[in-house]
Amino acid sequence: MQGQGDSAAHIQAPGRVTDVRRRNLALVLARIGPDVLASRADIAAATGLTKAAVSSLVTDLLATGLVEELGVTRAGGRGRPGVGLALDPRRGAVGAEVNVDYLAAGIVDLHGQLRVHEVAEAANRGRAPDEVLAELSELVARCSARAADAGMTLLGGGLAVPGLVDPGRGTVLTAPNLVWHGADLSAALTGLAQPTPFGVVLSNEADSASLAELWYGCGASLGSYLFVSGEVGVGGGLVLAAELFSGPGGHAGEVGHVVVEPGGRRCSCGGRGCLETVAGQEAILAAAGITGGGSTTAERMSVLRSALTAGDARALAAVAHAGHCLGIAVVSSARLVDLSAVVLGGHFATLAAWLRPALLSSLDDFAPGLIAPGRAVFSELGATAALRGAAGSVLRRALAAPYELLD
């Protein structure tokens, strides 16, 4: 019986070794970052693996293209110098975004740098999804070509849209501001970029922007926070203990539809008095008296900023009211999930100088001490947050599963 047990263990060993090696590849890769060179000896000391095992694993990682040898470093500043290892910035991912009034695409490298970025104004509300995605594909193709000219290889891509999505099926369940319902984008996703190891994944734009803040913005220092982004609509995301919380149906964080004015204006979601009806771009512009005729939303927002700078009373009142209502929605959401920090992006960040006083006053009025002024922060990622997060999700997947790039 003893002999049979030994035989069974021997037969199963290769599978277990493969699983162990996969875990160790990810373990070693986690010790190699964009900013600090690590030697094989450094990694062995940090992980407890033998130097021989680390050397073998690094050989595989070099084969994936995720890692490059660069410079010379010493383990702990002592001993014989070793070859430094770093993430290779020639590997990257496509990030793309469909919004109500623009399309955007970019290439993010493994260092988190936005290497290429293009934006095209587009009136997408009510347009057929296939038509929009065809136009976006042209934008992505130009960005991909520029990345290829710079010697980059793309690992995959992400598409962010302002609506509820089913990533597994590549479907937009509902995007009221685009007037998309049950839109199957699976075929368009496949053709959005050239064949890549990790494909193209669909995501909600606010969720992607929330993650971008965690990986590339101010969210890393906060750990847990509510993210709120102002566009034509108002999107939100919840990051708890450095992880995105999407809820059972993937719809958590819809702060734009928290009711702040019972009996208020009808919202695109079908409800009434939602935050979006007073703090969305169109709502603020209307309250400020800036209609602009046939001008784009971006142009009208520029007019709004000029009016605010000039001290226009109506514009100041519109932004102050938006900030007041934003505070109500933030504290209502923060109380529910026990959060003490908020990150504000989109036009909330653009209007920060005028929005912040009313927001802080509202936070203090409705939940004194819950969110300290220093933990109500404004994004520095600008209009690139959603596409950075969409691309970053693919890059994170590659770093977590480098073995998928091995033959």
Side-chain angles (χ1 to χ4, degrees):
M1 293 294 292
Q2 183 66 38
Q4 291 176 354
D6 289 348
S7 176
H10 176 74
I11 292 171
Q12 294 173 13
R16 291 204 299 269
V17 169
T18 298
D19 291 341
V20 168
R21 190 168 185 82
R22 287 180 171 186
R23 289 195 296 271
N24 286 342
L25 280 168
L27 179 67
V28 169
L29 187 54
R31 295 289 172 175
I32 302 173
D35 302 318
V36 181
L37 294 181
S39 71
R40 290 163 174 80
D42 291 328
I43 295 169
T47 61
L49 298 171
T50 66
K51 291 181 180 180
V54 169
S55 182
S56 174
L57 292 164
V58 167
T59 297
D60 278 352
L61 291 174
L62 289 169
T64 68
L66 298 175
V67 172
E68 64 176 342
E69 293 181 317
L70 187 67
V72 175
T73 186
R74 294 177 185 270
R78 305 183 303 276
R80 294 179 60 187
V83 176
L85 300 164
L87 297 179
D88 193 334
R90 292 169 296 182
R91 298 296 183 271
V94 174
E97 179 184 4
V98 173
N99 219 301
V100 178
D101 52 0
Y102 67 85
L103 300 172
I107 307 295
V108 179
D109 68 22
L110 280 176
H111 289 207
Q113 297 299 309
L114 184 60
R115 299 283 293 275
V116 181
H117 183 217
E118 290 201 19
V119 180
E121 292 181 354
N124 295 319
R125 179 178 280 136
R127 292 177 69 194
D130 288 348
E131 180 183 344
V132 174
L133 269 292
E135 188 173 327
L136 181 62
S137 292
E138 295 178 5
L139 212 60
V140 169
R142 290 201 297 272
C143 289
S144 299
R146 289 171 58 189
D149 290 343
M152 295 186 69
T153 298
L154 301 181
L155 301 171
L159 170 62
V161 300
L164 305 180
V165 303
D166 181 341
R169 293 191 297 149
T171 301
V172 177
L173 302 176
T174 179
N177 288 317
L178 290 173
V179 199
W180 290 3
H181 303 284
D184 183 357
L185 305 186
S186 56
L189 288 173
T190 302
L192 193 59
Q194 294 296 318
T196 53
F198 294 98
V200 180
V201 179
L202 183 65
S203 66
N204 169 267
E205 56 92 17
D207 283 348
S208 288
S210 302
L211 290 171
E213 294 296 340
L214 178 67
W215 299 329
Y216 311 125
C218 56
S221 63
L222 299 173
S224 297
Y225 54 90
L226 171 68
F227 175 79
V228 189
S229 179
E231 302 284 348
V232 171
V234 175
L238 292 171
V239 174
L240 306 177
E243 295 284 344
L244 179 69
F245 176 75
S246 299
H251 307 155
E254 283 292 305
V255 67
H257 299 291
V258 170
V259 177
V260 295
E261 287 189 333
R265 291 175 50 212
R266 185 68 67 184
C267 180
S268 62
C269 72
R272 189 182 291 278
C274 299
L275 175 64
E276 189 170 296
T277 66
V278 292
Q281 284 180 353
E282 293 179 346
I284 294 175
L285 289 168
I290 299 170
T291 55
S295 61
T296 66
T297 303
E299 289 169 342
R300 287 186 290 140
M301 289 298 291
S302 179
V303 172
L304 173 64
R305 288 192 295 274
S306 296
L308 292 166
T309 301
D312 180 84
R314 188 172 178 183
L316 290 169
V319 172
H321 183 58
H324 172 78
C325 292
L326 179 59
I328 295 173
V330 167
V331 297
S332 298
S333 302
R335 287 278 196 206
L336 191 62
V337 289
D338 190 25
L339 289 174
S340 61
V342 60
V343 180
L344 298 138
H347 69 252
F348 297 139
T350 303
L351 302 176
W354 302 280
L355 188 80
R356 183 178 174 82
L359 170 67
L360 294 182
S361 177
S362 183
L363 294 176
D364 188 55
D365 282 345
F366 295 107
L370 178 63
I371 299 178
R375 291 177 66 80
V377 298
F378 291 86
S379 173
E380 297 182 355
L381 298 181
T384 68
L387 70 83
R388 282 177 185 262
S393 293
V394 176
L395 298 177
R396 293 276 164 159
R397 180 182 166 193
L399 294 175
Y403 52 83
E404 292 193 28
L405 295 170
L406 295 171
D407 293 334

